[in-house]
Amino acid sequence: MKGKEQKHFTIVIKLGTSSICDEVTHEPRIANMSLIVETVVKLRREGHRVIIVSSAAIAMGLKRLDISKRPKYLATVQAIAAVGQCRLIALWDDLFRQLNQPVAQILLTRNDIADRAQYLNAANTLSELLHMGVIPIVNENDTLSVMEIKFGDNDTLSAITAGMANADYLFLMTDVDGLYTENPRLNPDAKPIEVVSDISQLHVDVSTAGSSVGTGGMVTKLIAAELATSAGVTTIITKSSVPGNIHAIIHYLQSRKADEQTGIKRRNPTIPSDDSTIDKEARDTSRTSSRQGSHSPSESLSCNSSVQVPQHTRFLPQTHPIRDRLFWILYGLKAHGTVYIDKGAYKAITRTNKAGLLPAGIVDVKGNFSATEAVALVVVDREALDRAGNENSTDDIIKSSREAVLRSGEDVGKAIVNYSSVEIARIKGLKSSKIETLLGYSDSEYIAHRDNMAFSATHA
């Protein structure tokens, strides 16, 4: 690496509750947190920009209040989270202070992300903190966010944060060293997966659940990976108990970037054999993984046969990532309903001249929403829907067939609409010239402008 200009990255590291607190005692894992701090500070000193997305507010609160088990009553859980968040950020601050590294706390809710002005303010704050050399520590505001406590969505929050910060890498730290074809705890013959270029083509066992104090699992990590890669962020799953893996993997990827820039094709990019970030457990993991055949020669990091890049699963970013406002529409906004469109309308709104969505292309609408709210866009087969019968029919079989056609539709993206659900139901399937006659006014010929529509990476 000497003599080459190293590329500096923006890195988001998501840490689940089990990485920070003991599952049974709820006591903080001080040793592991200290290793994380050392790794992050080392990355910072090498010029990288680092954001931490940290869970564990509820677990910290349980310990602080000497409560043995997470209660079921929502208000109680939120109160515990309020207590725990104070302890969590104080502990992070104490640990980083030992290395003279300033940190900042950022608490977000879905409402913050859904509001465009607040979303931009959050993005600008993250950018400024990174510019100042501060480590932002992000968490869901569990005290206010009902949905987050119920579903445990910090994996998704980390992906949204990565997209918001235009990050290069998102590390999803977990209790396994990567993605496997099957659950390695149940099947010793499960094979590790090194690189994933298309998440939709994955056929793996995702039965690994979250801890009793956390709410995540492998399923949420795959959802987060899909979200982040669509924003152009390389996503990596690796073992949380060996935080030094992050530095080793970044060093490896940095080597590859440098080689690509200079046109060097290297079979075994090197890493200093005395690098302290690759501890004994990481080395042992690498040797085990090599025996399992999880690394191709080009994936090895070695100065000698015993040192390799730590085992991990890397999800490659989409070729045409979704950025900025379209990313916000697609992932920051909650869909308040569904607008079903036919294939002709979908083709029209995704072609190069970027036409808006006309009423004629809409076949149905579900939900109760107002103008300017976001809705899901689902493509259905109009002919199949017509064959299913008229929606006003009293025949339950026909209604059931129609609902089946709607359920079989493909969710392709989101849109901010110009009309309410009631209004769209009245003008669907008609020409735009009929809007004023039926509604008494016509704010736009389009149900949604093309600039207010965002499609997932596979449908863009």
Side-chain angles (χ1 to χ4, degrees):
M1 296 278 297
K2 290 183 179 181
K4 296 178 185 177
E5 183 180 350
Q6 297 183 4
K7 178 174 173 57
H8 296 147
F9 302 124
T10 298
I11 304 162
V12 177
I13 301 172
K14 187 270 175 180
L15 301 164
T17 300
S18 60
S19 302
I20 299 170
C21 290
D22 185 271
E23 183 177 351
V24 178
T25 67
H26 304 152
E27 293 178 344
R29 297 181 182 272
I30 301 296
N32 199 51
M33 292 180 71
S34 297
L35 288 173
I36 292 165
V37 167
E38 290 177 10
T39 298
V40 169
V41 171
K42 186 167 187 177
L43 289 168
R44 271 285 308 121
R45 289 174 179 172
E46 291 178 356
H48 302 296
R49 301 165 295 276
V50 184
I51 300 169
I52 292 176
V53 176
S54 172
S55 302
I58 295 174
M60 287 281 189
L62 291 172
K63 178 61 181 177
R64 191 72 162 175
L65 298 172
D66 197 24
I67 299 174
S68 61
K69 189 169 61 173
R70 177 176 172 152
K72 295 181 179 179
Y73 186 46
L74 178 60
T76 305
V77 175
Q78 291 178 313
I80 291 170
V83 173
Q85 185 62 37
C86 293
R87 180 60 184 142
L88 177 64
I89 196 65
L91 185 53
W92 279 123
D93 189 46
D94 284 344
L95 292 172
F96 275 106
R97 182 168 53 85
Q98 305 306 314
L99 298 177
N100 198 32
Q101 172 62 54
V103 300
Q105 175 179 252
I106 297 180
L107 297 178
L108 295 173
T109 67
R110 279 201 171 273
N111 286 339
D112 298 326
I113 294 170
D115 184 275
R116 179 63 178 166
Q118 289 180 245
Y119 176 89
L120 291 175
N121 284 341
N124 291 336
T125 299
L126 280 173
S127 177
E128 189 62 24
L129 286 170
L130 294 174
H131 178 71
M132 295 167 63
V134 177
I135 304 293
I137 299 178
V138 182
N139 194 7
E140 174 77 17
N141 193 339
D142 289 334
T143 303
L144 301 177
S145 181
V146 177
M147 182 179 295
E148 179 59 23
I149 287 179
K150 185 176 181 181
F151 295 110
D153 210 11
N154 257 10
D155 287 320
T156 299
L157 175 62
S158 69
I160 291 174
T161 301
M164 187 187 300
N166 290 319
D168 298 287
Y169 295 101
L170 168 62
F171 281 83
L172 299 174
M173 309 301 288
T174 184
D175 55 358
V176 293
D177 47 18
L179 192 64
Y180 285 77
T181 53
E182 298 180 64
N183 191 332
R185 295 170 180 169
L186 303 178
N187 185 357
D189 295 326
K191 303 297 182 185
I193 299 173
E194 298 172 39
V195 180
V196 177
S197 58
D198 187 353
I199 296 177
S200 64
Q201 299 300 316
L202 271 180
H203 300 286
V204 295
D205 183 352
V206 292
S207 59
T208 304
S211 67
S212 62
V213 288
T215 44
M218 193 55 73
V219 172
T220 62
K221 286 171 178 57
L222 290 181
I223 293 172
E226 184 173 15
L227 191 161
T229 55
S230 72
V233 182
T234 300
T235 304
I236 295 166
I237 294 177
T238 192
K239 202 162 190 175
S240 60
S241 62
V242 193
N245 284 358
I246 300 172
H247 184 270
I249 293 168
I250 287 295
H251 199 296
Y252 163 57
L253 296 171
Q254 201 172 30
S255 297
R256 294 189 62 177
K257 289 283 185 183
D259 288 345
E260 289 171 3
Q261 290 175 355
T262 57
I264 296 174
K265 294 183 179 180
R266 185 187 298 220
R267 184 176 178 84
N268 290 311
T270 60
I271 188 170
S273 59
D274 60 349
D275 195 317
S276 60
T277 61
I278 304 182
D279 57 21
K280 183 178 183 300
E281 184 175 349
R283 294 172 191 269
D284 290 343
T285 300
S286 295
R287 283 193 287 268
T288 301
S289 301
S290 181
R291 288 194 298 270
Q292 291 175 337
S294 65
H295 297 293
S296 64
S298 61
E299 295 294 324
S300 299
L301 270 179
S302 63
C303 284
N304 53 62
S305 59
S306 65
V307 181
Q308 293 180 309
V309 61
Q311 185 172 323
H312 65 281
T313 298
R314 190 165 71 257
F315 298 84
L316 303 181
Q318 296 288 340
T319 306
H320 304 289
I322 304 165
R323 298 285 193 186
D324 304 323
R325 190 170 183 276
L326 296 183
F327 178 83
W328 168 71
I329 291 174
L330 191 59
Y331 298 114
L333 297 180
K334 177 182 178 182
H336 293 272
T338 304
V339 171
Y340 297 90
I341 62 177
D342 61 30
K343 295 177 181 178
Y346 175 64
K347 183 177 180 180
I349 59 180
T350 53
R351 64 191 179 192
T352 54
N353 65 1
K354 296 187 175 181
L357 177 60
L358 297 169
I362 297 175
V363 297
D364 208 343
V365 57
K366 298 289 184 183
N368 184 18
F369 53 86
S370 304
T372 73
E373 289 189 320
V375 299
L377 294 177
V378 176
V379 178
V380 297
D381 188 332
R382 181 185 284 271
E383 293 182 359
L385 201 62
D386 290 341
R387 288 195 298 269
N390 189 291
E391 65 178 343
N392 297 319
S393 172
T394 56
D395 189 331
D396 291 339
I397 296 178
I398 294 178
K399 286 185 177 180
S400 177
S401 299
R402 184 179 176 85
E403 288 299 320
V405 174
L406 295 178
R407 286 195 301 270
S408 68
E410 185 177 11
D411 191 332
V412 295
K414 284 181 186 171
I416 299 174
V417 292
N418 297 323
Y419 296 94
S420 70
S421 54
V422 174
E423 292 167 331
I424 295 174
R426 293 185 63 187
I427 61 178
K428 63 182 176 66
L430 303 177
K431 294 182 178 181
S432 297
S433 58
K434 300 289 185 180
I435 293 178
E436 187 170 2
T437 302
L438 287 172
L439 301 183
Y441 73 97
S442 176
D443 281 346
S444 172
E445 65 177 312
Y446 298 120
I447 296 299
H449 291 288
R450 180 61 181 85
D451 290 342
N452 288 332
M453 289 183 278
F455 302 96
S456 58
T458 54
H459 300 99

